[in-house]
Amino acid sequence: MQFGLLGAGFQRLGSQEKLKENALQHLFEVYVQVNQEAEQDESIRLAAAEFFRRLEQHEEQALSLWEQFRDITVKEYRRIYERLGIHFDHYSGESFHQSKMQDVLKDLQCRGLLKTTEKGTGVVDLSEAGDMSSYCTVLRSDGTSLYITRDIAAAVDRKELLNFDEMIYVTDKSQSSHFRQLFQILQMLGHRWAERCVHVPFGLVQGMSTRSGDVVFLEDVLDEARNRMLQNMQQSKTSKELADPALTAELLGISALIIKDLKRPLISDYKFNWEQVLQAQGDTGVFLQYTHARLCSLLRTHASVSHTHFDPHHLQDSRSLSALQHLLRYDEVLLQSSLELQPRHLVNFLITLCHLVSSAHRELPVKGSPPAVAQARLRLFSCACSVLANGMRILGITPVEKM
C-alpha cells in the first residue's frame, strides 16, 4: 500500500524536474502529501491499490516508475553508505524476488496450508490447534501480495542463489511478529534451513532532530555531527594542527554516532542528546578516538625506543596488570558479540580498555623511566593501541591518529 501510495501520488503530484534536482527529498515530499490526502480521500487509497495491482501484473508504466524510484534509492544508499565506509555486494529488497511469489503460493496450496476466508483473502493458519486462532494473511482479496508473501519468496530465492549458512534480518523491533511468522511459514513449507534465519531487532532513537527540522535524514545527521565536531575542535585548546580538520571532524562525528547507537542492547530505545554524544570525556566514540590518538602520539614520540624485546617483570604494578588482564579478554568478547549478534560487548570492552589505559598513561610514564621499564610500558601501550584500533574497525570506525 505504501508503494502504491507513492506511485499513485507521484503520478498526481510528482515532477521529473524536481526528481533530477533532489530525488529523495522530492519523493519524500510526495509521500507525505499523498499520505495526508489519503486519510481524508478514499479515492486516493483506491488509486494506490490499483497502482500496486498494475505493478504486480508488470504493467509497463507502473513497472518503469518503480524501477526509476528503485534506481534513485539505491544510488543514494551507495553514496551515504560509502561515506560510512560500508559496502554491500547486493541490493535486493523483497520486491526484487516477486517472480518466485507464484511458486510460493502454489507450494502453500499443494501442502494444504493456503486457506481462503469469507472476505476472499488467502491466509495460513499458524495456530497449534488448527483453529485459526493465529493466522497470517498472504494474499489480498484482489489477488495482490503482501510484504510477508514477498519475504517468503525472497528467502527461498536467496537460499537457492546464495546457499547461505545463516541469514540475519536487521530491522526495527516493530517487525518482530512479522519475522516470527515468516520463519514459521518457511518451516511449515519444509525448509529446514529456516532454523538458521535470525531476526536482530533494534529500538528507536528518541529526541533526534537536526537544525533543518524534525524529520531526520541520515545525511543531515552526519553533516550535523561533522559540523558540531569541527566547532568543538576549533574551540578546544588541546587540538593539534591537522592536515584536514574537516575529514577528522567527519570521522570523529561518525565514531560518536556509532558508539552511541551500539553501546546498549540493540533492541533498547534511547534518547539522543548532541552534547552528550560528542563529549570527549565519558563513554563516547570521541573518547575512544582521543585515547587512540594519545597512544599514537606516545608511540611516535618514542619511536626510537625498541620494544620488540622487553622484560614483563616490569609490568607487575596494579595499573599494568589490570590493563593486561583486560586485554586477555579480547577474543572472548569478540566471540560473545558474534554469537549473540550484539556489538555492545565489544563497545563496552573498548570503553573499559580506554579508561584503564588512560589511567596507566597518567601513572606509568615512559619518558624519564629506566630503558627496560620504558620498553615494557611502550609494549603495553602499543598492544592496547593495536587492540583499540582493531576493535574500532570491527565496529565500522576509522581510527584517528591525530586530533
Side-chain angles (χ1 to χ4, degrees), residues 231-296:
Q231 190 176 11
N232 289 357
M233 288 161 56
Q234 289 166 347
Q235 292 171 352
S236 172
K237 294 175 183 176
T238 59
S239 289
K240 303 286 191 296
E241 192 73 32
L242 300 170
D244 191 341
L247 176 60
T248 301
E250 168 92 351
L251 295 175
L252 292 176
I254 289 172
S255 307
L257 294 170
I258 288 175
I259 294 301
K260 178 66 177 175
D261 203 51
L262 300 185
K263 73 177 182 181
R264 58 184 48 76
L266 291 178
I267 200 168
S268 301
D269 299 338
Y270 67 90
K271 290 184 179 177
F272 189 90
N273 178 292
W274 277 111
E275 280 67 35
Q276 289 178 358
V277 168
L278 299 176
Q279 280 179 353
Q281 301 300 319
D283 299 344
T284 66
V286 181
F287 174 55
L288 294 191
Q289 292 281 26
Y290 176 70
T291 305
H292 180 262
R294 284 184 71 196
L295 290 172
C296 288

Side-chain angles (χ1 to χ4, degrees), residues 18 143 161 178 191 200 204 239 243 267 273 303 333 364 389:
K18 288 183 179 178
L161 290 169
H178 166 85
H191 299 302
V200 177
L204 302 176
S239 289
I267 200 168
N273 178 292
V333 168
L364 307 174

Side-chain angles (χ1 to χ4, degrees), residues 194-207:
E195 295 172 357
R196 303 195 302 278
C197 293
V198 184
H199 177 222
V200 177
F202 57 80
L204 302 176
V205 183
Q206 299 163 339

Side-chain angles (χ1 to χ4, degrees), residues 331-351:
D331 57 347
E332 166 198 323
V333 168
L334 289 178
L335 180 63
Q336 187 181 13
S337 293
S338 176
L339 291 176
E340 294 182 19
L341 299 175
Q342 290 288 342
R344 76 177 190 276
H345 302 301
L346 177 55
V347 171
N348 292 322
F349 170 87
L350 295 178
I351 288 171

Side-chain angles (χ1 to χ4, degrees), residues 149-328:
T149 329
R150 299 187 295 278
D151 245 349
I152 297 166
V156 173
D157 206 17
R158 284 170 182 149
K159 180 60 181 174
E160 290 177 3
L161 290 169
L162 304 171
N163 192 28
F164 55 77
D165 297 305
E166 186 176 29
M167 179 152 62
I168 303 167
Y169 294 85
V170 185
T171 74
D172 78 284
K173 62 185 178 183
S174 69
Q175 296 193 51
S176 294
S177 175
H178 166 85
F179 285 103
R180 279 195 299 272
Q181 292 182 337
L182 170 63
F183 302 156
Q184 186 177 345
I185 292 172
L186 286 169
Q187 288 183 325
M188 291 166 73
L189 286 168
H191 299 302
R192 294 176 63 184
W193 48 262
E195 295 172 357
R196 303 195 302 278
C197 293
V198 184
H199 177 222
V200 177
F202 57 80
L204 302 176
V205 183
Q206 299 163 339
M208 180 181 275
S209 63
T210 65
R211 294 188 179 107
S212 59
D214 293 330
V215 175
V216 182
F217 287 90
L218 178 56
E219 185 169 24
D220 294 339
V221 175
L222 296 177
D223 287 346
E224 187 130 357
R226 179 196 61 212
N227 296 340
R228 284 174 180 258
M229 202 63 238
L230 191 58
Q231 190 176 11
N232 289 357
M233 288 161 56
Q234 289 166 347
Q235 292 171 352
S236 172
K237 294 175 183 176
T238 59
S239 289
K240 303 286 191 296
E241 192 73 32
L242 300 170
D244 191 341
L247 176 60
T248 301
E250 168 92 351
L251 295 175
L252 292 176
I254 289 172
S255 307
L257 294 170
I258 288 175
I259 294 301
K260 178 66 177 175
D261 203 51
L262 300 185
K263 73 177 182 181
R264 58 184 48 76
L266 291 178
I267 200 168
S268 301
D269 299 338
Y270 67 90
K271 290 184 179 177
F272 189 90
N273 178 292
W274 277 111
E275 280 67 35
Q276 289 178 358
V277 168
L278 299 176
Q279 280 179 353
Q281 301 300 319
D283 299 344
T284 66
V286 181
F287 174 55
L288 294 191
Q289 292 281 26
Y290 176 70
T291 305
H292 180 262
R294 284 184 71 196
L295 290 172
C296 288
S297 175
L298 177 71
L299 294 171
R300 282 195 302 270
T301 302
H302 299 280
S304 60
V305 180
S306 170
H307 51 84
T308 307
H309 302 288
F310 72 101
D311 185 351
H313 287 95
H314 296 297
L315 298 175
Q316 294 195 38
D317 60 278
S318 61
R319 302 286 186 196
S320 298
L321 288 174
S322 294
L324 286 167
Q325 286 168 345
H326 189 68
L327 285 167
L328 280 170

